[in-house]
Amino acid sequence: MKKLLPCLLLLCARLLSAQTPTQTLHDGWQFRKLNEGEWLPATVPGTVHTDLVNAGKIPDPFIGTNEKQVQWVENEDWEYRCKFTPSKELLAQKNIRLVFEGLDTYASVYLNSELVLETDNMFRSWRRDVKQQLKKGSNELRIVFASAVRKGKEAAAKLPYTLPGDEKVFTRKAQYQYGWDWGPRLVTCGIWKTVRLEAGTGAKAGLDYSIDADGAVRLTASFHFYSDRMRQCTLRVTDAETGALYGIDTLLCPKGRVQLACKGRVGDPRLWWCRGLGPQHFYRLKCTALSGEKILMEETLEAAFRQIELVRDKDAQGETFYFRVNGVPVFAKGANYIPPDNFLPRVTTGKRKQILLDACAANMNMIRVWGGGVYETDEFYSLCDSLGLLVWQDFMYACAMYPGDSAFFHNASREAEEQVLRLKKHPCIALWCGNNEIDEGWKNWGWQKQYKYSAADSTKIWNDYLDFFEMHLRLITLRSGVPYWPSSPSIGWGHAESLQQGDSHYWGVWWGMEPFEAYEKKVGRFMSEYGFQGMPPVSTLRRFAAEQDLSLRSEVMKQHQKHPKGFETIQTHLERDYRQPKNFESYVYVSQLLQARGITMAIRAHRRARPYCMGTLYWQLNDCWPVTSWSGVDHYGSWKALHYAVKDAYKTTGASLVLQDDSVHLYVVNDSTESVKLRWSIHALDVNGNFKSAEAGEAQAPPGSKRIAVFPLNALQKDARKEELVLNATLAINGQTIDEDFLFLVPPKALELPDPKLGWKVEEREGNLFIKLKTERFAKNVFLEAQGHELRFSDNFFDMRPGEKSITVHGAITAEQLKAKLNVRTLRDTY
Ligand code: BMA
């Protein structure tokens, strides 16, 4: 009987859910410019731009310079309509709601000509009771979207001063849509998330928890349901898998909609850990409300328990800034994530998953969902949960000042409450951050002068900021169990203190044009942004540019470079470190090497500085369209040299070889929780492969960063000139090499690289493809590519000592095709 009981309950739960039918309304939609022209077929969820492209009314804005031609779309109002017949079952219900998971943004919703809803926030979901308006047979839903640009301008005109960020700050809509320094301006609108009719009383369970000092989880399960009379009611929380009882309570339940709570305890819980620290355990908790034998409601919730802290302790240098998961300090390694498309409804689960898998493949343990984009989907956070990938979550405000009127405040508060409630259940959420670069912008970007604010205006704008970001959002996040941080960064990069406390965005190299070496000195407590652009691979460029446009000077290439001085900045840094590439293809490849070189220099410096520095999230992981940008993975999922280099630089245990004061220092960075015993070696050779010197030894590397060997440079260099010297360090555990690092005394342009005499062959074993490389001399930045095939290699763009290396190939290609198409290049081939 004991065993039967859970099955019985499950059956009842099914029955219950069958009593709350839903009907999605995604079919048969049409759209047109408001009151004008023919109705055209529309896709829901979707956007007006993608509908216009599909209808052949505008060209694809991602191709060529088409972005310019589609700008008119943002100034128009658009209407959508669909006819639907509610199911009999649905119509028979007492309560029927029309539910929009998301409308972008100013929508007036009419059901059978009656206005039932008006919206003004893309980040909120909407529910309206429509029992009264629904009828038997055919119904019509019509939605009018007002131009967000016009609405924003109207709101701006009502203020006595101009807010930085122009019209976009008045609209709660993804800010990057208005154009960013990596993204096109495509201010779209539409039914961007699911829409449905839903019946029933909306019964649901929720969960709050905390972890006691003794390690036990203290639960509070909340039950929301409808009771048709006053009754005695038993609330119960059990483990859906083992049947273990975690909490039970008997209460008097009033008539009507009720909200009751039951306390519980999970002793000796299996905790959720971020990747690298431990497994990701999930509980399935069954929350049941009973009246005698009758189940009033039942829901099984997935729950994971972890404690997350942001540790800010004063110390001799300033103040720490790091995350502790279940009491264990985490060195955060990752990147900033932006929306993967300008048209979000078309982003597939597969695409989202791939980006997150790419982050994990590059050994990241944290990503930052940046504030100029969107709060991501449930599936995105669930994936992060199961991958153990921590999420630094911004609220969606970036690089601008926002209005402080009560309507805006109210709207923004509802948005924050909804998002915090939605994401509370995800153990991946490590931080709620108020905004991106607003505190920094206000204090450092000269807005007061630029917009000629009076003292009173200035005070008002800043006080509005403080009210919302320092006070209000903090309060909203308070009960989520996740720390809050008002603005990223806390101090602008021009100030020395930005490296002593808080998180820092270090933009001195890109925006300040400092050489890459600055990254080694400008190390803060937590580097939440720094970055350098690299071009996407030629295969990506060809997807939006014709042959004649494959030039840095073409209008098309400029259209897909959104930073005002982007190509100039790349060129300036390139000249410092590399010889001028001989043609466009070589330029693309070298621009990627340049990007990888800069960013990994920063990463290695940040990791060496552990525990002073406890995190590094470079700008940026991905792209929203095909563009030259700071990303390591481009819009189509191709890895630039950066992503391969990051994979190496973010290894759990890695070598870092640096030259300091005429000595060569070998550091081991170890992010595991255990001390590792390893064998290290340093080899000095010249570019032709001639041996100069070697050192080796054993070392114990505890968690953190440790210098394990130091040698005077001249002892290693012997008679080699600096233009020909290659220093190589390896780390091995139990005879297995786990990492290697290279050090050169001159920038790549000054290296006297010989023809490496690089040979390769393709091998196939047990269905896997390998490239076996063999080089007689030192080979710099070996670049593997097969034209026309999107391939992923186990390594690419790597330096290679004389010897052999085996590379695994992933992707749709046969051994024969790979043999025919494989192109192997090195830096020497670019000049
Ligand atoms: C950071 C980001 C973005 C921007 C990037 C590159 O400040 O927060 O606003 O795209 O720099 O300039």
Side-chain angles (χ1 to χ4, degrees):
M1 185 59 205
K2 235 183 178 181
K3 274 198 169 167
L4 267 180
L5 193 64
C7 305
L8 199 71
L9 299 184
L10 194 71
L11 193 72
C12 295
R14 280 221 193 100
L15 272 178
L16 265 180
S17 65
Q19 287 166 9
T20 55
T22 61
Q23 186 173 338
T24 50
L25 302 176
H26 293 171
D27 298 330
W29 285 89
Q30 294 179 312
F31 82 113
R32 65 174 184 176
K33 205 192 279 184
L34 182 61
N35 299 328
E36 238 183 273
E38 49 173 339
W39 286 93
L40 300 162
T43 304
V44 170
T47 68
V48 73
H49 283 83
T50 39
D51 285 335
L52 286 165
V53 171
N54 293 339
K57 298 294 176 192
I58 59 168
D60 182 342
F62 283 11
I63 308 291
T65 57
N66 291 346
E67 178 197 350
K68 288 185 194 167
Q69 290 168 45
V70 304
Q71 289 307 310
W72 61 271
V73 177
E74 66 177 38
N75 299 315
E76 302 297 333
D77 294 348
W78 298 91
E79 62 182 320
Y80 279 71
R81 72 173 184 195
C82 97
K83 287 211 169 9
F84 66 93
T85 305
S87 69
K88 254 196 191 157
E89 196 191 7
L90 192 94
L91 276 179
Q93 302 297 316
K94 259 202 209 132
N95 304 295
I96 310 173
R97 289 175 301 279
L98 177 59
V99 182
F100 292 96
E101 290 298 343
L103 289 168
D104 179 8
T105 290
Y106 296 107
S108 304
V109 181
Y110 301 85
L111 180 55
N112 298 326
S113 305
E114 188 176 329
L115 181 66
V116 291
L117 171 68
E118 282 187 292
T119 74
D120 56 2
N121 190 329
M122 172 187 184
F123 305 123
R124 290 171 61 187
S125 61
W126 310 90
R127 285 171 168 70
R128 281 295 175 275
D129 279 324
V130 290
K131 174 80 181 167
Q132 295 305 318
Q133 291 79 9
L134 271 186
K135 54 184 191 193
K136 247 172 128 186
S138 183
N139 287 254
E140 190 194 57
L141 197 52
R142 187 171 150 263
I143 307 179
V144 176
F145 290 96
S147 155
V149 169
R150 194 188 65 240
K151 295 281 272 187
K153 284 181 178 161
E154 283 166 10
K158 288 186 195 143
L159 270 191
Y161 44 74
T162 305
L163 287 175
D166 301 319
E167 79 272 14
K168 72 173 183 290
V169 301
F170 297 90
T171 300
R172 293 309 298 140
K173 173 176 174 66
Q175 303 282 280
Y176 78 109
Q177 289 186 0
Y178 293 78
W180 217 265
D181 58 3
W182 36 258
R185 182 176 174 111
L186 294 163
V187 190
T188 196
C189 68
I191 308 163
W192 79 292
K193 292 193 170 187
T194 54
V195 43
R196 63 178 183 272
L197 287 167
E198 188 184 83
T201 55
K204 64 175 189 298
L207 209 59
D208 275 308
Y209 74 91
S210 59
I211 301 182
D212 280 354
D214 66 356
V217 168
R218 219 166 257 290
L219 291 175
T220 307
S222 57
F223 295 74
H224 307 247
F225 60 93
Y226 180 82
S227 177
D228 53 6
R229 60 179 172 84
M230 186 187 277
R231 50 169 35 120
Q232 197 72 3
C233 159
T234 301
L235 306 176
R236 200 168 61 190
V237 184
T238 52
D239 191 307
E241 253 108 64
T242 65
L245 180 69
Y246 294 134
I248 187 158
D249 208 352
T250 304
L251 307 161
L252 193 63
C253 155
K255 180 177 184 293
R257 276 184 202 280
V258 292
Q259 184 179 342
L260 302 173
C262 169
K263 300 247 181 249
R265 185 176 181 277
V266 184
D268 197 16
R270 292 182 63 189
L271 298 175
W272 180 96
W273 293 90
C274 64
R275 50 193 299 108
L277 290 194
Q280 292 73 48
H281 185 75
F282 297 91
Y283 284 84
R284 281 165 37 83
L285 299 183
K286 192 182 284 183
C287 303
T288 316
L290 295 152
S291 170
E293 290 295 296
K294 185 178 174 204
I295 293 177
L296 300 173
M297 72 155 285
E298 182 167 78
E299 198 178 333
T300 300
L301 303 174
E302 193 164 76
F305 306 121
R306 58 93 182 89
Q307 196 178 48
I308 186 99
E309 295 163 278
L310 173 63
V311 185
R312 291 169 52 216
D313 290 336
K314 294 263 180 274
D315 62 12
Q317 298 100 329
E319 193 178 273
T320 64
F321 190 104
Y322 69 92
F323 293 93
R324 215 155 39 195
V325 175
N326 303 326
V328 179
V330 179
F331 187 98
K333 292 175 292 194
N336 285 269
Y337 171 88
I338 62 163
D341 204 318
N342 278 84
F343 306 118
L344 290 163
R346 71 180 178 189
V347 179
T348 60
T349 304
K351 172 142 187 161
R352 269 196 192 89
K353 187 168 179 183
Q354 193 53 52
I355 296 171
L356 296 173
L357 289 176
D358 286 347
C360 294
N363 296 310
M364 297 185 187
N365 59 11
M366 179 182 271
I367 52 165
R368 171 172 174 236
V369 176
W370 167 80
V374 294
Y375 306 95
E376 261 293 346
T377 60
D378 288 331
E379 73 185 1
F380 176 92
Y381 297 104
S382 294
L383 279 166
C384 292
D385 289 343
S386 57
L387 292 167
L389 198 55
L390 294 169
V391 175
W392 168 313
Q393 179 67 47
D394 283 0
F395 285 98
M396 293 302 133
Y397 302 87
C399 308
M401 298 308 291
Y402 289 84
D405 61 276
S406 59
F408 188 89
F409 191 89
H410 174 84
N411 189 7
S413 302
R414 295 290 85 76
E415 165 195 326
E417 283 157 6
E418 178 175 342
Q419 294 301 336
V420 171
L421 186 67
R422 179 173 75 98
L423 300 190
K424 198 172 71 172
K425 57 182 172 290
H426 292 284
C428 65
I429 305 289
L431 183 75
W432 278 105
C433 175
N435 65 69
N436 176 72
E437 296 185 349
I438 297 189
D439 191 308
E440 163 169 16
W442 181 255
K443 292 176 183 158
N444 301 289
W445 295 355
W447 284 334
Q448 292 80 353
K449 254 197 188 161
Q450 186 186 342
Y451 296 98
K452 301 191 179 72
Y453 294 139
S454 66
D457 292 345
S458 232
T459 309
K460 163 89 173 80
I461 296 169
W462 185 237
N463 283 343
D464 286 344
Y465 171 87
L466 293 178
D467 274 357
F468 191 66
F469 292 102
E470 292 280 347
M471 301 270 296
H472 198 61
L473 285 182
R474 190 189 297 279
L475 284 178
I476 290 176
T477 58
L478 212 54
R479 286 193 57 234
S480 68
V482 170
Y484 177 74
W485 185 239
S487 189
S488 177
S490 45
I491 303 173
W493 61 267
H495 304 271
E497 310 83 67
S498 69
L499 300 176
Q500 293 153 2
Q501 55 182 282
D503 68 319
S504 63
H505 291 190
Y506 184 66
W507 282 101
V509 169
W510 177 266
W511 287 90
M513 289 283 193
E514 293 167 28
F516 286 156
E517 286 67 26
Y519 281 138
E520 305 202 310
K521 298 190 194 91
K522 302 295 175 83
V523 178
R525 313 309 297 255
F526 192 106
M527 306 301 287
S528 45
E529 270 191 31
Y530 57 95
F532 195 86
Q533 286 195 351
M535 298 182 72
V538 176
S539 55
T540 290
L541 300 175
R542 282 184 202 280
R543 290 170 84 148
F544 66 79
E547 204 58 36
Q548 70 272 14
D549 299 322
L550 295 177
S551 138
L552 293 184
R553 277 175 296 277
S554 77
E555 284 309 308
V556 169
M557 217 49 69
K558 287 187 203 155
Q559 189 76 21
H560 292 247
Q561 160 61 279
K562 292 297 185 185
H563 189 270
K565 288 192 180 157
F567 286 136
E568 234 176 287
T569 308
I570 296 174
Q571 178 61 24
T572 304
H573 283 81
L574 190 144
E575 280 171 18
R576 285 182 184 144
D577 285 350
Y578 290 87
R579 301 186 195 188
Q580 192 61 28
K582 64 185 178 193
N583 55 27
F584 182 75
E585 287 217 358
S586 298
Y587 197 94
V588 171
Y589 160 50
V590 175
S591 83
Q592 291 195 17
L593 299 183
L594 179 71
Q595 179 192 28
R597 175 178 163 81
I599 298 311
T600 53
M601 259 165 110
I603 289 173
R604 288 180 205 280
H606 300 159
R607 293 192 68 187
R608 282 196 304 273
R610 179 179 171 169
Y612 181 83
C613 175
M614 281 300 282
T616 178
L617 310 174
Y618 63 88
W619 185 266
Q620 69 202 69
L621 176 63
N622 60 320
D623 279 328
C624 65
W625 78 318
V627 63
T628 295
S629 80
W630 297 263
S631 76
V633 179
D634 80 12
H635 180 61
Y636 301 112
S638 287
W639 287 20
K640 299 182 190 173
L642 174 62
H643 207 72
Y644 284 102
V646 164
K647 176 183 173 190
D648 185 48
Y650 276 166
K651 271 184 192 162
T652 304
T653 307
S656 192
L657 201 55
V658 275
L659 186 66
Q660 287 162 351
D661 309 323
D662 286 332
S663 291
V664 174
H665 301 243
L666 175 59
Y667 285 82
V668 176
V669 287
N670 175 15
D671 288 336
S672 74
T673 49
E674 317 234 303
S675 182
V676 286
K677 192 175 169 213
L678 40 84
R679 187 159 179 79
W680 59 267
S681 69
I682 300 177
H683 282 89
L685 55 143
D686 72 16
V687 286
N688 291 307
N690 298 311
F691 174 84
K692 296 294 162 186
S693 66
E695 297 288 348
E698 299 217 323
Q700 195 71 37
S705 158
K706 188 183 175 191
R707 188 176 62 184
I708 56 166
V710 190
F711 295 98
L713 172 63
N714 52 19
L716 296 171
Q717 188 175 0
K718 304 280 189 213
D719 63 343
R721 286 177 303 110
K722 54 185 195 315
E723 292 78 12
E724 58 178 10
L725 188 72
V726 179
L727 290 158
N728 169 268
T730 58
L731 300 181
I733 297 179
N734 298 328
Q736 195 91 35
T737 301
I738 56 154
D739 194 31
E740 72 173 336
D741 192 24
F742 286 89
L743 174 68
F744 306 93
L745 303 182
V746 292
K749 71 176 177 188
L751 277 176
E752 291 171 1
L753 296 169
D755 176 354
K757 303 257 188 278
L758 187 65
W760 53 266
K761 59 180 186 222
V762 171
E763 280 181 12
E764 192 171 7
R765 259 182 294 124
E766 292 160 7
N768 296 318
L769 278 183
F770 301 91
I771 301 169
K772 298 276 177 175
L773 293 153
K774 192 172 177 183
T775 185
E776 286 176 23
R777 297 177 184 154
F778 174 68
K780 185 107 188 86
N781 301 118
V782 179
F783 174 27
L784 309 169
E785 190 189 36
Q787 285 283 323
H789 294 267
E790 303 272 332
L791 300 179
R792 190 66 54 82
F793 302 94
S794 56
D795 200 359
N796 207 349
F797 304 94
F798 47 85
D799 291 344
M800 199 176 156
R801 281 201 296 170
E804 297 183 7
K805 185 165 170 125
S806 173
I807 300 292
T808 323
V809 184
H810 306 277
I813 196 163
T814 63
E816 287 316 306
Q817 287 169 326
L818 185 58
K819 276 180 202 159
K821 299 269 182 64
L822 183 65
N823 187 5
V824 183
R825 274 175 280 177
T826 67
L827 180 62
R828 192 176 181 273
D829 300 316
T830 65
Y831 47 83

